[in-house]
Amino acid sequence: MLQIGKVTEKLGISADTLRYYEKINLLPRVYRNTAGVRLYSDKDLSRLGFIKRAQKMGFSLAEISALLNFRENPQAARPQIRSLAFQKLTDIELHLEELGRLRDELRLLTNLCGASPDGCPILESLDK
């Protein structure tokens, strides 16, 4: 069992975030000792690791909550899990396309800015 300070060090999650996760039931009520100090079990740490990995994949807290529920019976929830993951993949692919367009536009504007004797194409583009 680890106290909140050790968990924040180990997982890189702030104490406020840990308390928030508990408040919104993303993390079940954490065991507290007689002094009221939160003590996190290996199961809690596993759940927090799951949450962090899901966040890195772009899942919202609501989606992570659903995934955590699906985690209880993954075989029965497989179609819903797959659908949720497919939607997230689609969102990421669209975002990557948008980032590619932004990269190309910034590359062009940066080159134009270096070659332009007057004005600044970057600022002019942002003003449009």
Side-chain angles (χ1 to χ4, degrees):
M1 301 288 276
L2 295 176
Q3 290 185 7
I4 200 166
K6 293 292 182 188
V7 174
T8 62
E9 277 178 33
K10 185 174 183 149
L11 297 178
I13 300 174
S14 74
D16 287 340
T17 298
L18 290 170
R19 289 185 200 101
Y20 179 69
Y21 287 170
E22 189 176 351
K23 180 180 176 182
I24 64 169
N25 297 316
L26 208 55
L27 188 65
R29 183 166 164 77
V30 176
Y31 173 79
R32 287 162 174 76
N33 65 14
T34 55
V37 175
R38 287 177 170 86
L39 297 173
Y40 294 83
S41 68
D42 288 340
K43 187 175 180 179
D44 295 326
L45 296 178
S46 172
R47 189 174 180 102
L48 289 165
F50 181 96
I51 292 167
K52 278 190 69 167
R53 286 187 298 279
Q55 283 179 313
K56 284 183 181 180
M57 290 183 180
F59 289 102
S60 69
L61 293 180
E63 291 167 331
I64 292 170
S65 179
L67 288 169
L68 286 165
N69 288 332
F70 294 150
R71 194 177 183 207
E72 300 301 318
N73 190 359
Q75 291 302 328
R78 237 174 139 161
Q80 297 100 316
I81 296 167
R82 188 173 190 280
S83 175
L84 186 59
F86 183 77
Q87 182 58 52
K88 190 54 56 186
L89 177 60
T90 302
D91 293 346
I92 289 170
E93 288 171 343
L94 289 172
H95 190 66
L96 284 171
E97 287 176 22
E98 182 180 330
L99 286 173
R101 285 191 298 276
L102 289 171
R103 179 200 59 222
D104 294 345
E105 183 178 355
L106 279 172
R107 186 177 288 142
L108 174 66
L109 291 171
T110 303
N111 291 335
L112 289 173
C113 190
S116 177
D118 49 49
C120 177
I122 296 170
L123 294 176
E124 292 166 8
S125 175
L126 293 172
D127 275 334
K128 290 182 184 176

